[in-house]
Amino acid sequence: GAVVSQHPSRVICKSGTSVKIECRSLDFQATTMFWYRQFPKKSLMLMATSNEGSKATYEQGVEKDKFLINHASLTLSTLTVTSAHPEDSSFYICSAKPAVAGDIYEQYFGPGTRLTVT
Amino acid sequence: AQKVTQAQTEISVVEKEDVTLDCVYETRDTTYYLFWYKQPPSGELVFLIRRNSFDEQNEISGRYSWNFQKSTSSFNFTITASQVVDSAVYFCALNSDTGTASKLTFGTGTRLQVTL
């Protein structure tokens, strides 16, 4: 149980276009999902916290107009990178926190999406 | 503010050697969790362990063991008799009570290379 999927796993897009990444909790409901970004050989940096039915909370320095997050249901959160630039190329990872958690710190990670902007 | 420090950027060992990955954390919260994750070249984070701040008992799981010492704010990870399949980046992370968000703060990771 507790599986989180991400789609697509890899995407290449042209500079100036937008790309949407989906994060789904497959066998549980998630009131909260987190979006992380990881540059090559670097750590994971939290970008935003996505709460079902409300606006996402962005970390300092993350442009909310560039990285649009929508958490429309208890099993799906999407991250849209708008007007992508090569510097947005990165590995994006989501995690999901169960609505009914064994403890408040429980969360499960997706497999990540590798975005390349050409 | 939370902070996790993994001072070892890269470690290289020969198979069957024991290796310890260091993790030092900072938090003002009294209730928190510490984690270790493994990230193989495929990129997917593999959960290894979670330890809460009230449980300082060391843990052993097969070739893996963890030493949690609150007095030194450390949560070190030892792999005994390392194998080539252990080659990966290992992240230590901290999750403290920041209200409902419970965000994870990751260390910078330690890249472990195990060679024959």
Side-chain angles (χ1 to χ4, degrees):
Chain A
V3 177
V4 176
S5 72
Q6 282 185 241
H7 178 79
S9 56
R10 287 179 177 272
V11 58
I12 301 172
C13 71
K14 293 196 173 182
S15 199
T17 62
S18 295
V19 60
K20 181 186 285 188
I21 302 169
E22 293 184 348
C23 176
R24 289 182 187 274
S25 54
L26 298 185
D27 50 2
F28 65 97
Q29 293 185 326
T31 47
T32 303
M33 290 185 174
F34 302 94
W35 286 96
Y36 295 85
R37 181 175 182 175
Q38 185 180 27
F39 289 105
K41 298 192 177 183
K42 297 290 183 186
S43 187
L44 283 80
M45 301 300 296
L46 180 66
M47 298 174 67
T49 302
S50 163
N51 293 299
E52 187 267 336
S54 64
K55 288 185 181 179
T57 304
Y58 290 82
E59 295 299 301
Q60 198 170 12
V62 177
E63 297 174 60
K64 58 180 72 174
D65 294 332
K66 180 163 187 63
F67 297 101
L68 300 179
I69 291 172
N70 186 300
H71 193 154
S73 78
L74 285 171
T75 59
L76 173 65
S77 175
T78 60
L79 167 67
T80 301
V81 182
T82 62
S83 188
H85 287 280
E87 55 264 32
D88 298 325
S89 298
S90 193
F91 192 54
Y92 293 88
I93 305 175
C94 73
S95 71
K97 192 174 164 186
V100 180
D103 60 67
I104 63 170
Y105 300 102
E106 192 176 2
Q107 61 180 282
Y108 301 94
F109 282 86
T113 295
R114 193 164 301 283
L115 169 64
T116 303
V117 184
T118 60
Chain B
Q2 282 72 239
K3 187 178 177 183
V4 177
T5 301
Q6 293 179 255
Q8 305 149 307
T9 308
E10 207 159 328
I11 299 176
S12 195
V13 299
V14 176
E15 203 176 38
K16 296 183 185 172
E17 281 185 19
D18 298 347
V19 58
T20 295
L21 310 181
D22 297 333
C23 173
V24 174
Y25 63 92
E26 293 176 32
T27 180
R28 286 185 217 161
D29 296 304
T30 54
T31 302
Y32 53 88
Y33 273 91
L34 294 160
F35 299 76
W36 274 96
Y37 289 91
K38 174 181 179 180
Q39 188 177 43
S42 62
E44 183 165 356
L45 281 176
V46 178
F47 167 79
L48 295 177
I49 191 172
R50 181 180 66 205
R51 169 69 70 210
N52 78 52
S53 53
F54 298 107
D55 183 2
E56 284 193 73
Q57 242 183 344
N58 292 330
E59 181 154 341
I60 298 175
S61 176
R63 296 184 297 107
Y64 296 168
S65 62
W66 291 269
N67 185 332
F68 176 29
Q69 293 204 346
K70 250 174 142 172
S71 60
T72 55
S73 297
S74 65
F75 186 44
N76 297 337
F77 172 33
T78 298
I79 302 175
T80 305
S82 59
Q83 299 176 1
V84 173
V85 292
D86 295 328
S87 297
V89 180
Y90 291 85
F91 290 99
C92 180
L94 168 68
N95 188 331
S96 58
D97 185 7
T98 55
T100 57
S102 298
K103 302 181 289 189
L104 272 174
T105 300
F106 284 85
T108 48
T110 297
R111 184 174 299 274
L112 175 64
Q113 185 75 36
V114 183
T115 56
L116 291 171

